[in-house]
Each structure stands twice: as C-alpha cells, then as structure tokens.
Amino acid sequence: MVLRLPLPSPFFTSERVMTSIDTLEAFLAELDRIERRAADLVPAASTATDVEAARIALVGRESGALTALAESLGSLPREDRREAGQRFNAVRVAIEAALEAAWAGLSSARTTAVADPTMPSRPFWRGARHPVSIVLDEIEGIFRELGFTIALGPEAEHEWYNFGALNFPADHPAMDLHDTLYLGEGTLLRTHTSPVQVRTLQAYPPPVRVLAPGNVYRRDFFDATHAPAFAQLEGLAVDEDISFADLKATLTWFARRFYGQGTRTRFGPSYFPFTEPSAQMEVEVDLGDGRGARWLEILGCGLVHPAVLEAAGLDSTRWSGWAFGMGPARLAMSRYGINDIRLLYDSDVRFLEQFDAC
Ligand code: PHE
C-alpha cells in the first residue's frame, strides 16, 4: 500500500543524522533526542496518517532516525558498543510499543464511534441488466421451454455465410458497400444473425432447434429508430415435416407469452432470399403512449429455403425448417415505452437503473 502523506505536516520530517557519531557520548545524546522526539510525535498522532508518518520518521527502514543511528554503532570504540547497543535496543522496543499502542488506540476509537454495529450499511449501486438484456433473457427463457438451445456465431463473418450460403443473388442491394461494413479478404461485419443458421446446420445434424442472439452491423445513420450496431435474435427449427403451421403456432405462442395472453398476431407477406415463403409478424400492442393499441412489426420469418439447407450439406427433400429474426431492442422499446433507440446506447445510469435495479 502506498500512503500519500500531506507534506506540510510536523510528522513528516525525516531526519537523517548527517554528522558522524563516533563517541558513546554523542551516540547517547542522539538516542536521547530521538526518544524525546518520539514522546512528542506519537501521543499527538490522532489519525492513521499521523501514526504512519511518525513510524516512518522514527523507525522507517529508509530514513527513520533510529535506523540512521544504528548505522553509526559500528563507528563507536569497541568497548562502548555493548552499552550503546543495549541502550539503543531499549529505546527501539519502547518506541515500537508506543507506535503499536497508538495504532490500537486508533482502531478502538473507530469501533466505539459506531453507535450500533448491526445497522444496515449505506445503500450502494450494484448495477443492473440493460433493458435489451432483460428482454433477451426473457425471450430465451420462453423458447427454452420449447426445447430451443442457444447457438453463437462470429460477428466478423465470411461473406459466404452472411450472403452466399443464404441464397442472396450476386447483385442483391444488401451486399452493396452502402449497407455493409466490409473488412476485406472476403470478410465483413455480419449484417444479420442468419449466418448462424448455416453454421449450426453444418455442425449439428437435424433435428435442431436453436436461438442465436448477437450483435449485427449495418451502415446506418444513428437516429431515433436506427443504430449502426444492434442486437438480433435468430430462431431456427429444422426437422422432417416442418410446415408454415409450426412457424405460426410457435411464434404466436411466443407473442402471447411475451405480451400477454390475449395478444393478437398477424402475418403478412415479405421477402428474404433465404426463406420461401417469407413473412413478417405483427403483434397488436398498446405502447402506453396514449394512442391505444396498434400493430407493430416485430420479426421477419419464413420456411428455410431449400438452397440454404443444401448449402449447409443437408438433403432438402428430406429436411425442412422455419426461421425467424427479430430485434430485441424493438421489443424492449415496446415493452417499456422507450421512444428513442439512442437511449439504449447512452449508458446513462439514471435511465438504465429504472429497469432492473438489483
Ligand atoms: N435476417 C433477417 C433480417 O435481418 C431476418 C430473418 C431471419 C428473416 C430469419 C427470416 C428468417 O432482416
């Protein structure tokens, strides 16, 4: 531990003995002076800093007055050394005992000052989960009950997993430099979590049911409804005889668990290269902004395109599946009535502690 000592302190004067001490008389005079100095310093030390400063000034290993004096023992005439040594030791022991007592006095003063040691301590801020993490945990919990497990994939991804394996045509606008952050050498920051579909199907033989949460990146402006980096949650189920009915039933069940039993859902047509047919799901929610219930699109979904199954090495005549991708930030905003996505990135404790103060 480094103790920083306030400099203008009477306790902070390290006095090295500069004059050479080579007679018993001079030795004993100096010993006497140190003893008197200790008698001044130690009883006056009322704080830990003072006691420590007194200890350093008197017996400190580098510059303590006693330490310096000990060095001159060797310069005394032989016949005087024994007496000098004995007197020196007696003073050293007494000073160390006085310092010990000063320390003990400090700590007992501290304990007696506390009126009631069983009083609860002052409350302190221990942190909280981010609203998006709360929502992600909850969604994962709902799907876990249905036998889904968590799968993760890299954020720096190969173009092939992000686009090629997902059946994007070579001239798809999403692949434009305008929308995608390329890293060079065939890699990019993944623009969605769908590449985890392919990685999962390559690694595990069906039947599979996975959820893949993670961050994705797009060249977007940072405004009230867009962020250039945001969380996504991918879902994938592949088995024999999976149909659009499985997709609708599962996602509707999820929406009711998340937003409440009576929640209505509807599916509208959409397009993604990696699903066929593709849909978007909307839920009817009241955002609590006084405008009443309205339809909110929360995810894109569809049946896994046979080309994706084949890219992952599966026989698309035997296996089929469904997938979805949603933005947990949007769900968190609808759940908590947050109207500006930037609040989720500001790390303002006053905002964040409203959601999950532990
Ligand atoms: N990856 C799509 C997106 O980012 C969402 C999606 C995932 C759609 C899975 C269908 C199936 O918009």
Side-chain angles (χ1 to χ4, degrees):
M1 186 179 70
V2 177
L3 267 180
R4 291 198 183 280
L5 304 172
L7 262 182
S9 157
F11 304 102
F12 195 76
T13 38
S14 65
E15 288 170 60
R16 262 195 169 269
V17 188
M18 296 315 279
T19 50
S20 65
I21 292 172
D22 49 13
T23 66
L24 181 62
E25 204 184 6
F27 185 89
L28 293 180
E30 174 61 11
L31 195 59
D32 214 43
R33 201 187 63 79
I34 296 173
E35 217 178 351
R36 279 198 314 269
R37 184 157 165 70
D40 282 345
L41 280 186
V42 181
S46 58
T47 66
T49 313
D50 290 347
V51 176
E52 179 61 5
R55 188 191 66 74
I56 291 170
L58 296 164
V59 297
R61 201 171 304 166
E62 294 285 320
S63 55
L66 271 187
T67 318
L69 185 60
E71 280 164 23
S72 57
L73 262 176
S75 327
L76 298 183
R78 268 192 177 280
E79 62 276 19
D80 292 333
R81 286 189 199 163
R82 189 189 167 89
E83 188 187 345
Q86 280 171 353
R87 299 277 296 271
F88 178 90
N89 273 335
V91 170
R92 187 177 54 83
V93 168
I95 290 180
E96 279 171 356
L99 287 166
E100 275 300 310
W103 269 119
L106 287 181
S107 44
S108 70
R110 210 167 22 225
T111 36
T112 49
V114 177
D116 176 2
T118 64
M119 262 169 50
S121 60
R122 273 180 287 146
F124 58 94
W125 167 244
R126 269 197 276 161
R129 282 180 306 163
H130 192 277
V132 172
S133 302
I134 300 173
V135 161
L136 265 175
D137 286 352
E138 188 179 330
I139 301 171
E140 287 175 15
I142 295 170
F143 278 96
R144 208 172 274 148
E145 290 171 16
L146 297 175
F148 282 73
T149 53
I150 305 296
L152 297 176
E155 294 181 12
E157 185 55 282
H158 294 282
E159 273 179 272
W160 185 77
Y161 282 104
N162 197 82
F163 294 127
L166 291 171
N167 196 37
F168 277 72
D171 57 353
H172 192 281
M175 290 156 75
D176 209 323
L177 271 178
H178 199 73
D179 297 311
T180 301
L181 294 154
Y182 286 91
L183 300 174
E185 290 171 35
T187 58
L188 43 72
L189 288 178
R190 68 180 177 189
T191 58
H192 53 176
T193 42
S194 300
V196 187
Q197 289 187 29
V198 183
R199 288 183 173 276
T200 302
L201 293 175
Q202 284 180 329
Y204 304 101
V208 295
R209 274 178 234 158
V210 293
L211 277 191
N215 287 331
V216 303
Y217 303 85
R218 292 183 193 174
R219 281 185 70 164
D220 242 331
F221 289 111
F222 204 10
D223 62 26
T225 52
H226 295 89
F230 56 98
Q232 265 198 352
L233 181 66
E234 192 85 6
L236 171 72
V238 172
D239 203 340
E240 285 170 328
D241 296 325
I242 293 268
S243 75
F244 205 86
D246 299 305
L247 177 159
K248 274 185 88 168
T250 310
L251 291 179
T252 299
W253 186 82
F254 156 74
R256 297 198 170 133
R257 284 291 304 276
F258 188 81
Y259 285 107
Q261 262 319 308
T263 305
R264 296 200 295 162
T265 57
R266 69 183 186 196
F267 290 80
S270 186
Y271 171 76
F272 302 101
F274 40 94
T275 46
E276 183 59 36
S278 302
Q280 59 178 44
M281 183 174 89
E282 295 177 328
V283 288
E284 199 183 26
V285 285
D286 186 340
L287 297 181
D289 56 3
R291 286 164 59 195
R294 79 187 97 113
W295 291 102
L296 181 74
E297 186 211 321
I298 62 163
L299 57 84
C301 57
L303 291 186
V304 179
H305 197 293
V308 176
L309 297 170
E310 297 286 342
L314 294 181
D315 177 356
S316 63
T317 59
R318 178 175 174 201
W319 304 104
S320 55
W322 61 264
F324 71 85
M326 64 179 144
R330 191 178 266 207
L331 272 74
M333 290 170 77
S334 67
R335 154 75 54 92
Y336 298 113
I338 300 166
N339 56 10
D340 191 323
I341 202 170
R342 287 169 293 195
L343 286 166
L344 296 173
Y345 295 87
D346 278 349
S347 298
D348 185 332
V349 168
R350 292 165 304 176
F351 170 75
L352 295 173
E353 72 184 345
Q354 301 172 67
F355 302 99
D356 186 43
C358 345

